[in-house]
Amino acid sequence: QVLLVESGGGLVQAGDSLRLSCAPSGRTFTADSMAWFRQAPGKEREFLAAVKENAYNPLYADSVKGRFTISKGNAKNTVYLQMNTLEPEDTAVYYCAARSTSDRFYYTRPGAYDYWGQGTQVTVSS
C-alpha cells in the first residue's frame, strides 16, 4: 500500500508562514507529478499547486500564486509547500497527492491523482 504522509501544519497568525512536507511511506512508486490540495469545511477539495518529476514550471492556482511555492525534495517522491503571508481564508486541511501516469500535462482535478495523504490541519487566526 502506498501512503503519503504530510507534516508541518499548525496554528499560526495572519501574515505568518508555514512549510508543509510530504513524504512517501509503504510500497515504493514513481510519481510523474505531485500536488497539494486543501479542503475547508463545507467546501470542495481545491487544487493549489503541482510539480512534475523534472521540477520545471510548476503549476499554481490563482488563489495562491505569489504566496505559495511548491518544491521537490532530494528524496524520491517528496514535496514541500512553502506558504507565506497566510490569511484566515487559508484555513483548511492540506493534502498532498501523487500521480503515477507519465504524460506532459498538469492536472487540477483530484480524481487525476492516484495516491493521497491523510492531510494536515492549517489554521490561520486573524
Side-chain angles (χ1 to χ4, degrees):
Q1 183 181 3
V2 172
L3 297 173
L4 298 173
V5 181
E6 303 97 338
S7 61
L11 172 63
V12 297
Q13 293 186 333
D16 286 350
S17 298
L18 275 177
R19 188 187 192 219
L20 304 183
S21 301
C22 173
S25 178
R27 181 173 62 87
T28 59
F29 69 101
T30 298
D32 175 71
S33 59
M34 298 192 72
W36 286 96
F37 290 75
R38 68 185 178 190
Q39 189 165 17
K43 295 188 176 181
E44 293 186 350
R45 193 161 294 192
E46 176 191 11
F47 169 81
L48 300 177
V51 64
K52 284 281 191 179
E53 175 64 22
N54 61 18
Y56 293 141
N57 296 323
L59 178 69
Y60 292 96
D62 288 343
S63 59
V64 301
K65 194 177 297 182
R67 294 193 301 128
F68 291 8
T69 302
I70 190 171
S71 61
K72 292 203 53 146
N74 292 328
K76 186 179 180 180
N77 297 336
T78 60
V79 67
Y80 303 99
L81 186 68
Q82 177 67 41
M83 305 186 296
N84 298 329
T85 320
L86 284 163
E87 305 165 351
E89 294 73 22
D90 294 317
T91 295
V93 178
Y94 284 68
Y95 298 91
C96 74
R99 175 179 169 86
S100 57
T101 302
S102 179
D103 59 31
R104 61 186 180 92
F105 302 110
Y106 274 122
Y107 295 87
T108 62
R109 57 183 179 88
Y113 291 83
D114 304 300
Y115 308 114
W116 290 84
Q118 296 297 308
T120 184
Q121 176 71 46
V122 172
T123 303
V124 185
S125 64
S126 58

